[in-house]
Amino acid sequence: MSNDPVVLKSNKYGLSLQLDATIPFEELVREICKKFAQSADFFGECQMILETMGRELSTEEGLVIIQAIELNSKIKVILLNENNELKDTRMLDQIDRFYTDEIFENAKIIRGSIYKDDIVTSDSSVIVLGDVKSKATIQAKGNIIVMGSLLGTAYAGFPDNTGCYIVAGQLNSHNIHIGTVSGEVTVQEKWSLRVHKREEEPVGISVWNRELLAEPLSSGLLKRIK
């Protein structure tokens, strides 16, 4: 049995990905990025149906994998067959997701963590597949997505776009800016009163009534942002 966390197999419809079910998701995404970057010349420019096996994926995780493939190859994934469900990825507005339609277009992807005193800037969005450590800084004209913990400074919508958002697997930062709005992050009241809320549930932060509002992604906050 292969020890490779990502194994590519062809099928009559397209490509199957055998995924390791035990490693952290951010590590799995890094392996997918490397695998398709190394195989880019082999596959060339094409469209295909993607099937995932071996690991149960949420809709959000499925979309992250699709975008990791498309950003590291010339493949256009037109259909996703996951958990025996066929999803047309060209109709993203019909998929429950926390990304807007063009979140990954020209986004800067950091394949790891950002450490103390590091400063990352982008003219579009930034996706961090690790953590943003204390005293590290991200500044983006678009959105910011941190798959791990956000402890440092995050400035989305630089300098004045309050329509952007920040997502973090875990939020431990008190230095958050979206466009012209900064300050304390208010936890949405109905979430703060939930006795059984999951402490490690990913959080989305957006601007609401000139304040920074945080909610778990499952609440649908980001889908309300235009």
Side-chain angles (χ1 to χ4, degrees):
M1 185 174 179
S2 173
N3 292 323
D4 194 333
V6 180
V7 178
L8 307 185
K9 299 178 181 180
S10 61
N11 59 47
K12 63 180 180 179
Y13 299 111
L15 192 66
S16 297
L17 268 66
Q18 182 71 42
L19 305 176
D20 191 309
T22 63
I23 65 174
F25 182 68
E26 63 185 62
E27 182 179 341
L28 182 69
V29 173
R30 285 196 292 269
E31 292 297 325
I32 291 171
C33 289
K34 289 192 291 185
K35 181 75 69 172
F36 279 89
Q38 293 167 356
S39 306
D41 290 339
F42 174 78
F43 288 114
E45 188 171 349
C46 63
Q47 295 183 340
M48 65 172 58
I49 294 173
L50 175 68
E51 178 185 26
T52 60
M53 302 181 298
R55 182 179 181 125
E56 185 174 349
L57 301 171
S58 68
T59 299
E60 293 87 356
E61 289 174 339
L63 290 172
V64 170
I65 288 174
I66 288 170
Q67 300 296 344
I69 292 170
E70 292 185 342
L71 285 165
N72 287 277
S73 68
K74 296 180 180 179
I75 296 172
K76 175 65 177 177
V77 180
I78 56 173
L79 292 172
L80 172 65
N81 187 356
E82 180 262 320
N83 293 336
N84 297 316
E85 182 179 0
L86 197 63
K87 298 173 181 176
D88 189 339
T89 62
R90 293 166 298 183
M91 302 295 291
L92 293 183
D93 58 324
Q94 296 181 5
I95 299 175
D96 184 17
R97 68 194 189 282
F98 59 81
Y99 303 109
T100 56
D101 288 346
E102 302 299 331
I103 176 60
F104 286 98
E105 184 175 353
N106 300 317
K108 176 181 286 188
I109 296 183
I110 308 299
R111 297 171 184 169
S113 296
I114 303 175
Y115 294 95
K116 177 181 177 181
D117 298 327
D118 286 347
I119 300 175
V120 173
T121 62
S122 174
D123 288 333
S124 56
S125 297
V126 175
I127 302 162
V128 181
L129 301 181
D131 302 323
V132 177
K133 302 296 186 180
S134 178
K135 298 184 180 180
T137 299
I138 303 178
Q139 178 181 289
K141 288 187 177 180
N143 306 303
I144 295 173
I145 295 176
V146 179
M147 302 296 291
S149 296
L150 173 56
L151 296 94
T153 298
Y155 193 155
F158 177 84
D160 56 8
N161 184 359
T162 57
C164 293
Y165 60 78
I166 297 171
V167 168
Q170 290 180 284
L171 178 64
N172 298 294
S173 174
H174 297 286
N175 201 351
I176 301 295
H177 309 258
I178 299 179
T180 57
V181 179
S182 61
E184 291 293 323
V185 177
T186 301
V187 178
Q188 212 280 347
E189 183 178 359
K190 67 181 179 181
W191 181 41
S192 65
L193 296 177
R194 282 166 53 192
V195 176
H196 300 293
K197 72 177 183 292
R198 292 180 295 168
E199 295 297 339
E200 296 185 358
E201 187 170 1
V203 174
I205 305 167
S206 64
V207 175
W208 186 258
N209 291 333
R210 299 297 302 171
E211 294 183 353
L212 297 174
L213 178 68
E215 286 189 49
L217 292 183
S218 59
S219 73
L221 176 146
L222 295 183
K223 291 188 291 183
R224 301 197 294 271
I225 300 174
K226 301 300 182 181

